[in-house]
Amino acid sequence: MSPPDTPLPDVWFTRDLPVLRAIARLVDEPKHGGAPYLLGSVVPASGLPKAEVIAAAKALVSAGYAEALTNHAGDIVRITGISPEARRLAGLWPTPQGEWERLLEQLTARAEHAPTDVERARWRAFADAATAVGADDGALLMSALIGGYVPRAR
C-alpha cells in the first residue's frame, strides 16, 4: 500500500484502455447483439485478469464511457453501449489529430508517386503547406471537417 500523499498508479493504459478497446470491438460485433457479457466475453477478449476487468468496467461506466446492465447486487453483467468519446478513444471513430496525420501521409505518398514532375511538385507543395500549418491548426481544421462544419466565404 502506498502512503496517502503518493499519487495512485496510472491504470488508463494498463487496464482501462485495453478493456475499453475489447468492449468496443464486442459491442460492434453482431455476435453479441451489441451487449457482450462482462465475464463471458469481455474478460477473455481483453486478456486481463477478471478482477482487473471488473475494476476497469466500473471505472469506464462511472466515467460515462460505457453503459451497463447490472444485477440486483449492482454487479455489471453486460455492457449495453459505449459513448461517442469511447468510440474515438478505442479507434472506431476518427479523431482530428489522427485524420490530420492521415492527410499528411496521403500528401507525402502522392508526392512520391506522382507520374509527372509537375504533379509531383504540386503534391510536394501541398504537403509542405500542410506541414507548415502545423499539427494544432491542422487538428482544428480536421475537427471542423469531421464535424461537418466548413466556414463559408463572406
Side-chain angles (χ1 to χ4, degrees), residues 56-148:
K58 288 178 181 178
L60 294 168
V61 168
S62 71
Y65 291 125
E67 299 167 10
L69 175 69
T70 59
N71 62 19
H72 294 296
D75 299 325
I76 297 173
V77 177
R78 294 181 92 155
I79 301 297
T80 58
I82 58 174
S83 70
E85 183 60 19
R87 289 183 177 281
R88 281 186 273 285
L89 289 169
L92 293 176
W93 283 2
T95 63
Q97 295 82 0
E99 291 308 294
W100 182 249
E101 290 171 12
R102 284 174 24 120
L103 175 66
L104 293 176
E105 289 171 8
Q106 279 295 311
L107 293 173
T108 301
R110 289 183 184 269
E112 290 172 359
H113 298 93
T116 68
D117 288 342
V118 171
E119 288 177 283
R120 197 171 5 270
R122 286 181 183 156
W123 284 114
R124 183 74 255 150
F126 194 0
D128 291 345
T131 301
V133 165
D136 292 338
D137 288 331
L140 288 173
L141 172 64
M142 297 315 283
S143 179
L145 293 174
I146 291 168

Side-chain angles (χ1 to χ4, degrees), residues 21-37 40-42 44-46 78-82 87 92:
R21 287 182 174 147
I23 289 169
R25 282 191 301 272
L26 295 169
V27 164
D28 268 12
E29 284 183 4
K31 172 182 169 186
H32 302 285
Y37 284 97
S41 299
V42 178
S46 73
R78 294 181 92 155
I79 301 297
T80 58
I82 58 174
R87 289 183 177 281
L92 293 176

